[in-house]
């Protein structure tokens, strides 16, 4: 998966669905020359999300309905991204304050496999998907 956040910093994509998390973390303004924050403008944030979800869907073979963002989602999604970046930079540090959470349902499939399903709307659904990918990568 190589979406706009990761490509603009010329770094290799993380494997599988974890690339979605990497893509989210790489929406920040950074580099030289300084790139813009892809989550600052609502239209740009929605375009980034649409592309990132399309890439995630192709990479994982999983379909996901479009997630609509509004102005409130934009601010919360940036805050969630900052939480992810802070947690990734801390390593195993139990002194971090509680970070944002998201709802995830566990679905039992007909073959007995359990599948996590993101819940919520807007930024909460994006956060749920990112947390599922992180959890699965940790497994």
């Amino acid at each position: 998966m190589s979406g706009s956040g990761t490509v603009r910093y010329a770094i290799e994509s993380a494997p599988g669905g974890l690339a979605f998390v990497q893509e989210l973390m790489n929406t920040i303004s950074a580099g030289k020359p300084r790139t813009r924050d892809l989550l600052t403008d609502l239209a740009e944030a929605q375009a980034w999300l649409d592309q990132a979800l399309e890439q995630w869907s192709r990479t994982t073979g999983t379909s996901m309905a479009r997630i609509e963002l509004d102005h409130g989602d934009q601010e919360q999604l940036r805050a969630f991204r900052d939480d992810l970046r802070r947690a990734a930079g801390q390593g195993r540090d139990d002194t971090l304050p509680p970070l944002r959470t998201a709802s995830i349902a566990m679905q039992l499939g007909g073959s007995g496999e359990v599948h996590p399903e993101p819940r919520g709307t807007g930024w909460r659904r994006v956060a749920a998907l990112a947390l599922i990918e992180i959890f699965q990568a940790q497994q």
Side-chain angles (χ1 to χ4, degrees), residues 15-38:
L18 194 56
F20 178 78
V21 179
Q22 178 188 30
E23 177 66 15
L24 173 58
M25 292 173 71
N26 286 333
T27 59
I28 64 164
S29 174
K32 290 185 182 182
R34 200 113 179 117
T35 59
R36 67 193 181 287
D37 184 328
L38 297 178

Side-chain angles (χ1 to χ4, degrees), residues 3-75:
S4 59
T6 301
V7 167
R8 67 191 185 144
Y9 296 125
I11 56 177
E12 190 174 327
S13 288
L18 194 56
F20 178 78
V21 179
Q22 178 188 30
E23 177 66 15
L24 173 58
M25 292 173 71
N26 286 333
T27 59
I28 64 164
S29 174
K32 290 185 182 182
R34 200 113 179 117
T35 59
R36 67 193 181 287
D37 184 328
L38 297 178
L39 302 180
T40 300
D41 175 76
L42 181 57
E44 189 171 22
Q46 186 67 62
W48 166 81
L49 180 57
D50 291 345
Q51 178 185 5
L53 287 174
E54 182 180 322
Q55 289 275 333
W56 172 84
S57 189
R58 278 196 307 269
T59 300
T60 64
T62 307
S63 62
M64 167 88 54
R66 185 170 195 252
I67 301 173
E68 295 282 337
L69 297 176
D70 65 26
H71 290 286
D73 288 329
Q74 207 180 335
E75 183 178 326

